[in-house]
């Protein structure tokens, strides 16, 4: 699409290797693999060379696991730090295992601390030590310091390369400082102003520095109201804070308030995406749920969940078993029960998904929990009445038994209403107990809707039958 | 938490109105509402005044709908454009309906085009016309132009305020231009270099401009390899592109390749979050799934889904009904059938969630679809064998009937295997037919796992019983 629209502005997104969604075309991937298999690394290299690092990373994710080492060998000189920074965690680990420690060290050395840490923290302790030993002392010190912070914390996420200037400087001083120091990072979007104890007192967007005469004091153009990130803050909180306050970069401070690093939005974007996407996976019990995850890990993650669900299913089965007498008298109940349980489960899942989302985005707090419950109850009553009327009528007509229609309709209404209640209450309760609502909610909600569904339906049926008798 | 850690660096995130997750404390929200109810707007204003716009927006989302107008009246002068830009769509619409067109126009005029459009596009045509009539001609023109682009397109997302300079300029020219023009935007992170026909030929990060001597030509420091965004590109694609290439801002070009606007990452972050979080909601059939959505809309969105599920449940019921003879002979089957169907459904949902996620993040393409299917089949066989062994043994022991154990174990293995297959195939197929896999997948998958579950279990049971007889 871009191709036809942007004839004379070549961009990474238009090179013919990519389709309109920026995905590598199957034909291209095959061509590269063929070249590798036919022992023609030069051709493979020629194909891969023009790709953006992010696309080279995609390429490695798209080729079969057993062919990645061969491809890596063929294009080893294109496998630079930027590519590794973009690689899927599982694929990256795999490639790094295939490399020599000193090769990993060379790659890590090129990276900003945050990306280097991302690579090294995945290695097992033994390899970590080897890689670190092979690094320059300064780099090693920076990495080791970062690794000292808890996993998924701001300390792991931040880069130490940043621009900090004393508050008494003028804009001119800043410009001279930036122009005079070759070795400063170029990956920054604002300048942090610090006091004598290296505590941030303000920040200046580069656009302001550019538009201010040299003579003006930096402290006169800096923004004093700034959002600081505690070094031990969880990355999910960091992501929410970046999003809420629309930050491009933010200063990271240690427990004593000193400036120790900087986090830029491009590092946070991945986390926002992962954290937000995680819910769909967690709610389904698929754990990390990555298609590159080793099968063993996937099996472990999922089977646990299925066994948990097996137990909840057994509870429902016990409920049904207690009504076997009723079912023997009217076997049709065996076919109808699952309808009540199933649709109730769906209703509960809807409410639960919305609640989990609202909790994750801080939309749902103590201030509006009660209101949300009332809201969901109203929705549940509306949904319940509608579905109950439909199934009640259908069953009454089909079996020519109005009473059976009333039984299933009543059970359906009851189950959907309770489902709506549980759909809010379960996640909220889990959150209060500092559990991730996305992880365990659906087990409980399904357990409730299954049991209540059969209990209500078969219970009402038993009463009705005894009436009829 | 920040409070104790950053004694002398006050930030929005630490003001005592916020808890450690940057959420407004219930006590604070109540205090503001009390002030409003007691007819003391001054006190309410004093409480709200120190808040960050994003927090003021949160406040309006947290208070009950019927008290928002009163609060808005009390703090009307704090309700500036930044607050509206941060408001939840539903709450924003509500507040805007409460305002006069000229008030909305004043607010919109303060905003960059992208935020102004976000507000105005939600109004109904009548109000839109009124608001636009009340705006300055230039602002109106810009907004109307933006509204001409399809909803959720880059054209709606971009801002027209950007810095573009001719390629023959020197760094000095750029600096003088920036310092000389008061009315330029300050919300930019890179400068776009354009040719005579206003087509982007490169871009320069501000950090580069700052570090380059005045004499150097801008074309010597600019990055020629840039990612352009076609003005009609869907916002989801834009978000993926920003994420993939770690962009801070990008030039938006029209069909002829001319620079027409700029998108900055802070506008994209919300989309990445929404799009990624959407899947959990869509998979559950909760539609937009926002806790601020009017109940009527929520009901409409969800009941459709429940009715669809009602039909799939009826299909399963029909399957069961055809085996009523078998159930009459062994009523225990009525209690055991749902176990096979339920756990199979869970297994299918796991695979489906992972597949939908992989499709949404472009991890799963034609190149690795077959591999993913094989992978899921292996996981399914492992999960199936484990769960089958467990339930088979349990049932055999409980009912003292090895053959019944074999029957349920075999049915479980079959259902979980087919669930894994359907879990990949259904979303992939929907994607191929340009349907959103997240929307319809679970209906089909559940239908399959329910029907197959009962069919396999009751079918095997029938065979087994006839053997026994």
């Amino acid at each position: 699409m871009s191709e036809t629209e942007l004839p004379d502005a070549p961009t990474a997104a238009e090179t013919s290797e990519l389709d309109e969604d920026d995905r590598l075309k199957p034909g291209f991937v095959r061509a590269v693999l063929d070249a590798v298999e036919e022992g023609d690394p030069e051709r493979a290299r020629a194909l891969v060379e023009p790709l953006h690092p992010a696309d080279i990373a995609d390429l490695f994710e798209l080729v079969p696991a057993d062919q990645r080492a061969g491809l890596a060998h063929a294009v080893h000189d294109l496998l630079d730090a930027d590519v590794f920074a973009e690689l899927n965690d599982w694929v990256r680990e795999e490639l790094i295992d295939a490399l020599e420690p000193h090769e990993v060290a060379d790659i890590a050395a090129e990276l900003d601390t945050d990306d280097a840490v991302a690579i090294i923290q995945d290695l097992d302790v033994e390899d970590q030590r080897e890689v670190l030993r092979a690094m320059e002392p300064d780099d090693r010190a920076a990495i080791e310091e970062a690794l000292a912070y808890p996993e998924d914390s701001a300390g792991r996420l931040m880069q130490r390369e940043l621009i900090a200037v004393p508050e008494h400087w003028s804009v001119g001083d800043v410009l001279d400082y930036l122009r005079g120091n070759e070795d400063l990072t170029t990956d920054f979007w604002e300048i942090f102003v610090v006091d004598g104890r290296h505590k941030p007192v303000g920040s200046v967007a580069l656009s302001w520095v550019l538009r201010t005469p040299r003579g003006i004091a930096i402290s006169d153009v800096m923004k004093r109201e700034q959002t600081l990130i505690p070094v031990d803050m969880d990355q999910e909180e960091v992501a929410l804070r970046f999003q809420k306050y629309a930050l491009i970069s933010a200063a990271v401070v240690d427990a004593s308030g000193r400036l120790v690093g900087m986090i830029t939005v491009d590092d946070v974007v991945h986390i926002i995406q992962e954290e937000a996407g995680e819910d769909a996976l967690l709610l389904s019990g698929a754990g990390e749920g990555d298609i590159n995850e080793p099968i063993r890990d996937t099996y472990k993650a999922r089977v646990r969940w299925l066994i948990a669900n097996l137990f909840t299913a057994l509870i429902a089965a016990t409920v049904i078993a207690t009504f076997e007498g009723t079912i023997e008298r009217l076997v049709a109940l065996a076919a109808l029960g699952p309808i009540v349980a199933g649709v109730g489960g769906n209703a509960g899942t809807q409410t639960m998904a919305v609640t989990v989302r609202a909790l994750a985005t801080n939309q749902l707090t103590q201030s509006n929990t009660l209101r949300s419950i009332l809201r969901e109850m109203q929705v549940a009553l509306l949904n319940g009445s509608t579905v109950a009327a439909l199934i009640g009528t259908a069953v009454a007509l089909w079996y020519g038994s109005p009473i059976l229609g009333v039984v299933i309709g009543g059970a359906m209404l009851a189950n959907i209403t309770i489902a709506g209640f549980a759909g809010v209450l379960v996640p909220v309760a889990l959150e209060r107990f500092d559990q991730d609502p996305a992880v365990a909610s659906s087990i409980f909600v399904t357990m409730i809707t299954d049991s209540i569904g059969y209990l209500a339906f078969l219970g009402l049926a038993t009463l009705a039958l005894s009436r009829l008798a």
Side-chain angles (χ1 to χ4, degrees), chain A residues 8 40 43 51 56 79 92 102 131 138 150 160 198 214 218 232 238 304 307 328 334 355 390 404 416 426 430:
Chain A
D8 47 14
D40 185 349
R43 205 170 86 239
L51 294 181
I56 299 182
L79 271 180
R92 182 200 287 144
H102 71 269
V131 171
D138 318 5
R160 273 144 199 74
H198 211 67
R214 293 183 63 96
I218 200 75
D232 60 359
V238 175
R304 250 192 252 105
I307 292 172
E328 265 165 346
T355 307
L390 284 171
L404 190 56
I416 289 180
V426 169
L430 287 167

Side-chain angles (χ1 to χ4, degrees), chain A residues 232-252:
Chain A
D232 60 359
M233 180 179 245
D234 181 80
Q235 64 174 22
E236 189 168 359
E237 296 304 326
V238 175
L240 281 172
R241 194 170 277 193
F242 261 76
Q243 188 186 356
K244 178 172 182 179
Y245 299 116
L247 306 174
I248 296 296
S249 64
V252 180

Side-chain angles (χ1 to χ4, degrees), chain A residues 45 48-49 53 55-61 68-85 87 91-92 95-96 98-99 103-104 106-108 110-111 119:
Chain A
R45 214 192 152 293
V48 177
E49 216 263 332
D55 291 308
I56 299 182
D58 283 359
L59 176 63
F60 274 89
E61 292 172 25
R68 284 175 190 149
L71 175 60
H73 182 74
V75 301
H76 58 88
D77 58 324
L78 300 176
L79 271 180
D80 63 5
D82 300 337
V83 175
F84 272 86
L87 269 179
V91 179
R92 182 200 287 144
L95 275 183
I96 288 190
L99 293 171
E103 293 176 295
V104 180
D106 295 346
I107 291 168
E110 292 176 47
L111 292 164
I119 290 181

Side-chain angles (χ1 to χ4, degrees), chain A residues 14 16 72 78 81 87 94 147 156 160-161 179 199 226 299 324 343-344 360 365 386 442:
Chain A
E14 295 170 83
S16 59
L78 300 176
L87 269 179
E94 198 185 295
L147 290 173
R156 292 276 185 107
R160 273 144 199 74
E161 301 77 9
R179 293 195 182 134
K199 296 188 179 186
Q226 54 176 341
Y299 165 65
E324 282 185 353
V343 177
T365 77
T386 312
S442 51

Side-chain angles (χ1 to χ4, degrees), chain A residues 337 339-345 347-348 376-393 404-422 449 452-457 460:
Chain A
I339 299 175
V340 180
V343 177
E376 286 300 329
M377 297 313 295
Q378 295 178 60
V379 175
L381 285 171
L382 287 168
N383 285 334
S385 321
T386 312
V387 177
L390 284 171
I391 189 66
T393 318
L404 190 56
V406 172
V407 166
I408 195 169
M412 185 67 89
L413 175 57
N415 200 25
I416 289 180
T417 310
I418 287 159
F421 192 63
T449 51
I452 300 289
Y454 287 110
L455 189 64
F457 177 61
L460 286 173

Side-chain angles (χ1 to χ4, degrees), chain A residues 346-424:
Chain A
N346 288 312
T349 307
Q350 290 179 325
T351 307
M352 179 180 65
V354 173
T355 307
V356 167
R357 203 74 212 101
L359 287 168
T361 53
N362 285 345
Q363 269 190 297
L364 183 55
T365 77
Q366 279 192 45
S367 309
N368 56 354
T369 298
L370 183 61
R371 196 164 0 119
S372 297
I373 294 175
L374 295 175
R375 177 177 181 282
E376 286 300 329
M377 297 313 295
Q378 295 178 60
V379 175
L381 285 171
L382 287 168
N383 285 334
S385 321
T386 312
V387 177
L390 284 171
I391 189 66
T393 318
V395 166
L397 296 174
W398 183 262
Y399 291 90
S401 158
I403 184 132
L404 190 56
V406 172
V407 166
I408 195 169
M412 185 67 89
L413 175 57
N415 200 25
I416 289 180
T417 310
I418 287 159
F421 192 63
V424 187

